[in-house]
Amino acid sequence: MQPVTITLNGREVSGHPEMTILELARESGITIPTICNEPHLTSIGSCRLCLVENEQNGALLASCVTPIVPGMVINTESPRVMEHRRMIVKLMLASHPDSCLVCDKGNRCQLHQIASDLGIGLLELQRIPQTAAIEEVNPFIERDMSKCILCAKCVRACQELVVEGALDYFQRGFIARPATLNNSPLENSECTFCGVCVALCPTGSLMEKKRVYQGTTKNLVNTTCPYCGCGCSISLEVKDNYIVAARPGKVDTENEGTLCVKGSYGFDFIHSPDRLKKPLVKVNGAFQETSWEKALEETAEALNLIKEQYGPDSLAVLGAVKCTNEENYLLQKFARTVLGTNNIDNSSRLYNPATRLGLGTSIGFPGTTNCLEALEQSEVIVAIGTDPAASAPRVNYAIKRAVKLRGAKLILIDPRRTKLSSFAHLWLRPKVGTDLVLLNSMSRLIIDESLLDKEFVTRKTDNFDALPGALEKYSLEYAETLTGIKKEEIHSAARLYALADQAAIIYGTGITQHPGGTASVKALFNLALLTGNIWRNGGGIYALQRDNNGQGACDMGALPDFLPGYQSTEDLQAKKKFEEHWGVSLPANPGLTALEIMEQIKAGKIKGLYIVGENPVLSFPRSDFVTEALSSLDFLAVQDLFLTETARLAGVVLPAASFAEKEGTFTNFEGKTGRIRKAVAPAGECLPDWEIILRLANKMERPLPFSTIQQVMEEIEELVPLYEGYLDSEGKYQNEWGFWKRRSHRWHSLKGFPRFSTAEYTPPEKKINEDYPLTLLTEAVLYHFGTGTRSSRAWRLQQFSPRIFIRINEADAKKLGLSPLDKVRIISPVAELTAAVSITGALPEGIASLPASFPEAPATRLFDINLDTETKTPSLKACNVRIERIDDHE
Amino acid sequence: MNDIKTISEDELLARIKEIIVEYSGQKWALIPLVQKIQNEFGYIPPPSIPLIAGSLGFFPSEVQGVISFYAQLYTTPRGRNVVRVCKGTACHVRGGKTILKLVKQHLQIEEDQTTADMEYTLETVACIGVCALAPNIVIGNQVYGNVNPKKLGQLFKRNGG
Ligand code: SF4
Ligand code: SF4
Ligand code: SF4
Ligand code: FES
Ligand code: FES
């Protein structure tokens, strides 16, 4: 296409034909003030502040919505333009309230900034200030609509970015305002308190509530959210060593200026009074504060002693899905070279191995095959075993944007009604545990009806011949009987998926935490492979990761059977490479997985354990068993931010710095690496995990050869092929290292073509136990995270969602005589918990669901240890329970 | 406008669903759809907003936004007679404000409200184009000029108020 040339402030400049005057001006270094324009929102041209003059005909044009036309002569600062601009701002100011003077938005207010840039002093207009009641019941957002200047950024943010649609204009003219349905307070609307509208609002009409620090902060630190596996980039506002607020990172970052409520309002656990400040040692059963010197000495001695007495394999290490890549790398190196054991695992064991095994064996690449931008381009999206609105909000936004703004069709496979159900084109509700049957029957139908991508299958895949036979029994009729989904619906879903040019599959813990999860992952992969949806630009397979750095912990080899970069501990060549580089001989046998470690502690084989940032007492099944095991150890050291349920059992507790108090990188579920940066000094005497590990190695007289985090990254670059090229030519972190590297690496590591693998459904042993008639599903909730250690200490999250509810179906509630808010005992064969009742139409009869993230009632406790034979993942998704009402007098 | 029907909320929603089905998935049809609902019920019952939104593919807040934008669309039931008091300049200088106050007293309602017996809904307008007769009010389709307190009393009596 021919570039278009125009004259801008007397200078000739050229741009693409579709550019607006504003875009070209920005590109040419000319500033035009704007209010309603935002590059990642549709332009509406409503504020008129961006006026420019067309000198050929004297027309005043809103530059943000006017495309460039060859030969245009534009002046952005003509006297007429300036006069109009000033008048527009004056009019806005004239309707602004007096409280403007003491507004907390302070110097961040765009209206202020623009007024002072334009040199507006006296208003010379009669003021007609708006009035409005300030809305502030919820703990997150304060709305003062008297300061609204109708730029509609909040409306567009809510509709176009996070796609909640909580807001739109209500009424018109002078009284028009952005409002929720029925003008109700935010907490009674669709709002999820993502804070995106607050970050975009140019004035003080939308503000974070109760800013701890009043006034203006100048220091912004760009970093990465520490909660879920989406890895959103976030900016922390810092003042006087205090984090005042968080907002979405720059718009050009992956999350496009979006966050969820945890990213925006969940950071203040950093400043929680509960933070550990000094190392603790247990003396006669009680903790005493001590110095780093003493704490590390005691730890080093204890570990060395156990190693000498019982050998290296009597030691084990657990960690660390919340820590950085560098720290995980150090931790596994510590385990393998300092302790001398492969007994290292991390808590992504609880949800990730099915993916590692299922995808790893098929494509040689253990994880998500494409990026979220590509997901948004997909025509059809299958979401199965996941409620991303709660567990991966950014993915949820991407799915909804694809559906709402690009017309993608969503096939939702979930027995529960979730927030995505209303976006679904097809919503299939299989009986719990029958996903595999459904997926296999879809594959069979695709083959039977010749809907497969034959050319791709013949030329680019292996082992197709094994498939048709293995799928023989998965007829639509068979699938209908087992899954409870109508044949016709399965048929439509299979056709829709197969006929799309680019189709994506997203799955989460609903797949991987079920026994047999690996088989379901393989079945999903078969579907993608049959239809050629693997290497395309759109589509692919998206394996969600729960934790911020579950992906990184595994990439870095904090795993018993893999050295860094998924190089098997049994691959002699890989082993040799590491041995040469590290100058030690490495243990030959693979180590124990997380739950096996617990079992071996119980069996007396493992005597000493070092836990970094994990809380197995709450996150593993059978906390009674885990507690007993941990208490029976000769030595337990726990490194954490808080005195967690697990840390209480330790002999030594080492206080660690939070994500905002150190440097490093996280890798999100897509495989993209995000930088974390130090925003404030560590609380008390806390140290970054990496520094603690290094000091401990020194104390054990086996120092690791690093003194800075960069040096660690350099070694990672050298030894972990997935992370090659992470540093730029000057040895500095590249901020946006790419997942493209990872993708291209996959091509190299793949021996042969991606393989079909058969996935046989094994019905659960029919043990219908009348005593436990309900199926309980564990679920993620938006306002809390993981075991709740951090989110329960973020006061806004805690205040908004203070207690645990079990959700049960109306019919079940009726049978049990339960009303909303009743307290109940939830009893499984191994444990019981109490929770309040919430009655819902979202669940099918016979199914209840309980969030996993409330420390006072950890749902994991209800589960027996029941390991998948292949992956050693404990089943943590569904168990059988009964529910009893607790009468008030009890 | 049809007569106001007295039906239960369930019946109302059931009927509204019937109307909506015809327009399912057709975003362009928002205005005709809400007009159709308003023609049948005299207003657009708020519980129908999420249903309309869900069926056409809008956010409920968007549908509410559109409805509230058009002065001719209502989300509250309307009386059998709409009373419009003119607030235009001519009427204003000739006592329109007092007239409005008196009408409010007569009907015991505020602007944009409807009497309990569903007889009257009170609105204001900005000039109805017969300034010569100011102050003016309109009841139903009938314009009354040169109104004064006495005439007002008769008007509402005549109309059964
Ligand atoms: S509330 Fe803020 S963002 Fe929303 S329209 Fe008003 S000024 Fe703009
Ligand atoms: S906080 Fe998020 S969901 Fe709530 S109104 Fe703002 S943009 Fe919408
Ligand atoms: S979506 Fe995940 S990474 Fe993004 S802000 Fe929310 S919790 Fe943080
Ligand atoms: S920035 Fe162009 S009209 Fe608002
Ligand atoms: S001002 Fe009342 S009719 Fe014109």
Side-chain angles (χ1 to χ4, degrees):
Chain A
M1 249 183 286
Q2 285 289 317
V4 172
T5 305
I6 69 168
T7 312
L8 199 57
N9 293 355
R11 198 153 57 92
E12 290 217 330
V13 288
S14 322
H16 314 290
E18 277 119 51
M19 270 179 139
T20 60
I21 300 174
L22 177 67
E23 283 163 347
L24 184 55
R26 282 189 177 144
E27 215 182 82
S28 323
I30 293 170
T31 313
I32 299 175
T34 59
I35 282 196
C36 69
N37 178 268
E38 198 64 57
H40 59 318
L41 299 176
T42 46
S43 297
I44 52 167
S46 76
C47 76
R48 300 276 135 182
L49 205 70
C50 64
L51 288 182
V52 294
E53 182 168 352
N54 182 340
E55 293 192 321
Q56 289 160 314
N57 57 13
L60 291 176
L61 308 165
S63 62
C64 69
V65 287
T66 313
I68 50 175
V69 178
M72 257 180 172
V73 182
I74 297 294
N75 190 335
T76 68
E77 290 171 335
S78 71
R80 272 186 74 215
V81 164
M82 295 311 281
E83 187 194 328
H84 275 90
R85 247 183 227 159
R86 289 210 178 89
M87 183 49 79
I88 291 166
V89 176
K90 281 181 187 174
L91 284 167
M92 284 178 182
L93 289 171
S95 64
H96 229 58
D98 296 324
S99 58
C100 179
L101 281 177
V102 288
C103 176
D104 266 348
K105 200 87 170 195
N107 294 350
R108 291 183 306 153
C109 175
Q110 273 187 40
L111 189 56
H112 263 196
Q113 284 164 9
I114 290 171
S116 73
D117 284 351
L118 291 174
I120 290 170
L122 276 182
L123 264 191
E124 300 148 351
L125 290 174
Q126 192 201 343
R127 298 188 53 229
I128 313 177
Q130 294 276 357
T131 51
I134 295 180
E135 184 205 315
E136 53 162 353
V137 178
N138 73 78
F140 306 108
I141 297 174
E142 196 172 287
R143 292 201 300 164
D144 176 357
M145 284 301 122
S146 69
K147 291 174 181 163
C148 176
I149 55 172
L150 297 180
C151 69
K153 278 188 189 170
C154 56
V155 172
R156 283 175 287 156
C158 198
Q159 297 185 353
E160 297 171 10
L161 297 180
V162 299
V163 205
E164 304 293 355
L167 299 175
D168 202 339
Y169 279 152
F170 183 51
Q171 316 228 312
R172 65 181 169 149
F174 196 61
I175 56 166
R177 285 293 170 265
T180 60
L181 182 61
N182 303 323
N183 215 352
S184 51
L186 286 177
E187 56 274 21
N188 298 338
S189 76
E190 292 296 310
C191 175
T192 56
F193 299 101
C194 67
V196 174
C197 56
V198 180
L200 286 173
C201 178
T203 70
S205 43
L206 298 175
M207 293 278 289
E208 34 318 69
K209 203 175 150 196
K210 270 216 199 143
R211 288 166 63 90
V212 221
Y213 197 99
Q214 314 286 318
T216 315
T217 44
K218 292 227 174 62
N219 194 7
L220 268 188
V221 178
N222 293 319
T223 182
T224 301
C225 173
Y227 280 104
C228 86
C230 292
C232 298
S233 69
I234 103 181
S235 280
L236 299 176
E237 276 182 43
V238 186
K239 178 139 187 172
D240 300 338
N241 207 28
Y242 207 89
I243 295 170
V244 178
R247 49 172 128 140
K250 285 193 233 92
V251 167
D252 56 3
T253 48
E254 305 300 343
N255 41 318
E256 288 217 304
T258 63
L259 290 180
C260 78
V261 65
K262 290 187 286 288
S264 285
Y265 303 107
F267 59 86
D268 44 8
F269 67 87
I270 300 164
H271 299 306
S272 159
D274 294 352
R275 280 288 297 276
L276 291 165
K277 305 266 162 42
K278 276 172 154 270
L280 305 174
V281 287
K282 207 176 256 163
V283 182
N284 299 327
F287 281 118
Q288 283 180 1
E289 290 190 348
T290 183
S291 67
W292 272 108
E293 196 54 31
K294 289 229 174 73
L296 290 174
E297 217 152 77
E298 184 164 335
T299 310
E301 257 170 43
L303 294 176
N304 272 334
L305 195 72
I306 293 172
K307 186 175 162 185
E308 270 161 41
Q309 272 189 339
Y310 306 99
D313 284 339
S314 60
L315 291 170
V317 175
L318 208 54
V321 292
K322 298 185 194 75
C323 295
T324 63
N325 290 324
E326 295 76 6
E327 288 163 342
N328 276 286
Y329 182 83
L330 277 178
L331 191 63
Q332 61 83 30
K333 189 167 177 180
F334 175 86
R336 295 193 160 108
T337 67
V338 178
L339 302 181
T341 177
N342 275 328
N343 290 339
I344 174 167
D345 203 1
N346 67 75
S347 67
S348 75
R349 176 68 51 193
L350 305 175
Y351 56 84
N352 195 39
T355 293
R356 202 156 51 236
L357 225 80
L359 291 187
T361 49
S362 325
I363 39 172
F365 176 73
T368 297
T369 67
N370 215 338
C371 57
L372 274 184
E373 290 84 333
L375 176 78
E376 284 193 56
Q377 309 295 334
S378 307
E379 282 165 40
V380 168
I381 299 173
V382 179
I384 178 166
T386 178
D387 176 14
S391 63
R394 195 181 131 211
V395 175
N396 178 46
Y397 303 155
I399 298 174
K400 291 191 295 180
R401 283 198 297 258
V403 170
K404 192 90 185 172
L405 309 176
R406 296 183 192 268
K409 296 209 161 86
L410 172 66
I411 303 173
L412 183 68
I413 304 177
D414 199 324
R416 307 162 297 175
R417 181 169 69 232
T418 65
K419 282 192 99 175
L420 271 184
S421 303
S422 63
F423 288 79
H425 182 78
L426 280 174
W427 173 26
L428 312 182
R429 308 180 80 174
K431 291 193 185 127
V432 173
T434 62
D435 296 324
L436 180 56
V437 179
L438 170 66
L439 299 172
N440 276 345
S441 71
M442 286 170 70
S443 280
R444 177 178 153 175
L445 187 123
I446 289 174
I447 298 175
D448 286 356
E449 298 199 353
S450 279
L451 300 171
L452 66 174
D453 184 337
K454 286 198 196 80
E455 165 157 355
F456 179 82
V457 170
T458 345
R459 295 186 42 201
K460 302 261 179 69
T461 68
D462 282 335
N463 202 31
F464 173 72
D465 295 342
L467 205 58
L471 293 177
E472 192 60 48
K473 82 173 194 213
Y474 298 93
S475 63
L476 288 181
E477 291 71 23
Y478 177 75
E480 176 171 318
T481 325
L482 265 80
T483 62
I485 304 170
K486 288 209 190 70
K487 297 202 282 271
E488 297 73 27
E489 289 188 359
I490 304 177
H491 192 202
S492 329
R495 283 187 68 87
L496 191 62
Y497 177 76
L499 293 174
D501 275 341
Q502 305 194 321
I505 295 174
I506 301 174
Y507 68 89
T509 55
I511 290 287
T512 58
Q513 288 192 328
H514 273 300
T518 315
S520 300
V521 173
K522 287 180 181 161
L524 283 170
F525 183 73
N526 288 343
L527 271 176
L529 215 51
L530 277 174
T531 51
N533 275 303
I534 278 296
W535 309 130
R536 288 183 183 154
N537 288 335
I541 295 196
Y542 296 79
L544 300 181
Q545 289 277 2
R546 188 176 68 190
D547 295 285
N548 61 322
N549 207 24
Q551 185 72 47
C554 297
D555 288 354
M556 290 299 127
L559 292 170
D561 44 354
F562 287 109
L563 290 159
Y566 307 102
Q567 309 181 63
S568 165
T569 50
E570 288 166 307
D571 172 345
L572 294 180
Q573 215 179 327
K575 186 166 161 242
K576 196 162 153 245
K577 178 174 94 175
F578 282 95
E579 284 179 332
E580 274 168 13
H581 206 282
W582 289 347
V584 291
S585 66
L586 290 173
N589 50 323
L592 299 171
T593 61
L595 272 298
E596 290 171 326
I597 291 175
M598 295 300 147
E599 284 167 356
Q600 289 308 308
I601 295 174
K602 207 62 201 300
K605 295 267 164 50
I606 288 194
K607 306 281 188 187
L609 181 61
Y610 176 31
I611 299 180
V612 177
E614 306 275 4
N615 191 2
V617 171
L618 291 195
S619 64
F620 287 13
R622 284 294 294 273
S623 72
D624 55 336
F625 173 83
V626 173
T627 307
E628 229 176 275
L630 294 180
S631 317
S632 74
L633 280 163
D634 286 4
F635 180 73
L636 171 65
V638 174
Q639 188 165 308
D640 209 306
L641 268 56
F642 298 101
L643 193 60
T644 60
E645 294 68 12
T646 302
R648 288 198 189 110
L649 307 174
V652 176
V653 180
L654 305 170
S658 72
F659 82 105
E661 299 160 339
K662 63 185 180 189
E663 301 278 327
T665 56
F666 293 154
T667 300
N668 79 349
F669 85 97
E670 296 162 283
K672 289 183 180 167
T673 304
R675 190 60 209 279
I676 63 159
R677 290 191 178 79
K678 186 168 169 177
V680 291
E685 292 180 16
C686 291
L687 290 176
D689 293 282
W690 61 269
E691 205 176 324
I692 306 176
I693 301 167
L694 288 181
R695 286 199 192 190
L696 183 58
N698 281 342
K699 272 273 175 289
M700 293 182 73
E701 286 169 3
R702 306 204 65 145
L704 295 168
F706 308 104
S707 53
T708 65
I709 203 81
Q710 270 80 4
Q711 291 168 345
V712 183
M713 207 36 171
E714 274 161 29
E715 185 170 310
I716 294 173
E717 265 213 309
E718 200 179 330
L719 297 179
V720 187
L722 282 173
Y723 284 69
E724 264 165 31
Y726 180 82
L727 300 177
D728 69 14
S729 52
E730 277 143 43
K732 287 207 221 74
Y733 282 117
Q734 288 204 51
N735 209 1
E736 294 307 322
W737 177 72
F739 108 112
W740 295 107
K741 269 262 144 60
R742 182 179 277 263
R743 257 188 93 153
S744 61
H745 169 76
R746 178 196 53 205
W747 281 105
H748 299 310
S749 74
L750 191 66
K751 300 177 185 95
F753 289 118
R755 290 177 66 77
F756 285 97
S757 27
T758 56
E760 187 62 19
Y761 172 72
T762 26
E765 292 159 45
K766 274 268 182 261
K767 269 192 296 181
I768 298 181
N769 190 334
E770 295 294 320
D771 290 342
Y772 305 101
L774 285 172
T775 302
L776 181 81
L777 298 178
T778 52
E779 61 181 2
V781 281
L782 177 62
Y783 296 94
H784 283 286
F785 188 80
T787 54
T789 305
R790 292 172 296 168
S791 56
S792 68
R793 290 178 173 94
W795 73 267
R796 293 180 179 91
L797 299 176
Q798 182 62 17
Q799 185 176 324
F800 191 71
S801 169
R803 51 195 294 224
I804 185 164
F805 286 95
I806 178 170
R807 298 197 300 152
I808 67 172
N809 168 283
E810 293 138 339
D812 294 319
K814 210 163 168 194
K815 261 187 265 165
L816 294 163
L818 297 174
S819 333
L821 298 181
D822 278 355
K823 261 179 89 182
V824 290
R825 239 189 306 273
I826 309 158
I827 305 167
S828 83
V830 295
E832 60 176 70
L833 298 176
T834 55
V837 167
S838 152
I839 297 173
T840 172
L843 297 169
E845 209 176 326
I847 294 186
S849 78
L850 189 69
S853 304
F854 288 81
E856 70 275 18
T860 46
R861 186 166 293 174
L862 297 169
F863 287 77
D864 203 351
I865 298 182
N866 178 5
L867 299 188
D868 183 277
T869 42
E870 274 182 295
T871 59
K872 309 292 182 201
T873 296
S875 124
L876 276 176
K877 198 65 200 178
C879 70
N880 297 329
V881 297
R882 77 168 172 275
I883 291 176
E884 289 172 358
R885 189 168 62 202
I886 302 176
D887 291 325
D888 282 340
H889 58 264
E890 267 186 52
Chain B
M1 190 194 309
N2 293 359
D3 263 356
I4 307 298
K5 294 172 183 153
T6 40
I7 55 174
S8 75
E9 175 146 337
D10 284 351
E11 285 169 318
L12 184 98
L13 286 180
R15 173 63 193 131
I16 286 176
K17 277 184 196 156
E18 279 173 29
I19 303 176
I20 293 175
V21 174
E22 297 167 33
Y23 295 88
S24 170
Q26 303 174 48
K27 275 197 150 182
W28 61 268
L30 178 57
I31 301 282
L33 169 57
V34 291
Q35 274 173 332
K36 188 157 182 190
I37 293 175
Q38 177 159 307
N39 282 342
E40 184 155 339
F41 300 99
Y43 74 114
I44 304 152
S48 64
I49 292 179
L51 301 177
I52 297 168
S55 166
L56 266 53
F58 289 102
F59 295 115
S61 62
E62 264 179 302
V63 173
Q64 167 182 278
V66 170
I67 294 173
S68 70
F69 183 82
Y70 291 101
Q72 305 88 333
L73 297 175
Y74 315 101
T75 51
T76 44
R78 313 251 304 155
R80 274 172 279 268
N81 300 293
V82 179
V83 182
R84 296 188 176 88
V85 180
C86 181
K87 267 172 118 182
T89 317
C91 292
H92 181 79
V93 296
R94 303 204 54 184
K97 212 171 166 183
T98 316
I99 298 297
L100 177 61
K101 209 159 117 193
L102 289 173
V103 175
K104 285 183 185 172
Q105 270 171 19
H106 260 290
L107 301 179
Q108 294 288 304
I109 51 174
E110 291 296 313
E111 263 173 70
D112 294 326
Q113 288 182 349
T114 299
T115 52
D117 60 1
M118 304 299 290
E119 197 56 37
Y120 292 108
T121 296
L122 175 58
E123 282 179 0
T124 56
V125 290
C127 191
I128 46 180
V130 282
C131 306
L133 300 176
N136 292 304
I137 79 170
V138 187
I139 302 176
N141 295 323
Q142 181 69 45
V143 180
Y144 300 90
N146 288 322
V147 280
N148 54 39
K150 200 167 140 207
K151 197 164 170 187
L152 259 191
Q154 285 165 357
L155 270 180
F156 285 110
K157 212 168 276 155
R158 196 169 67 210
N159 278 281

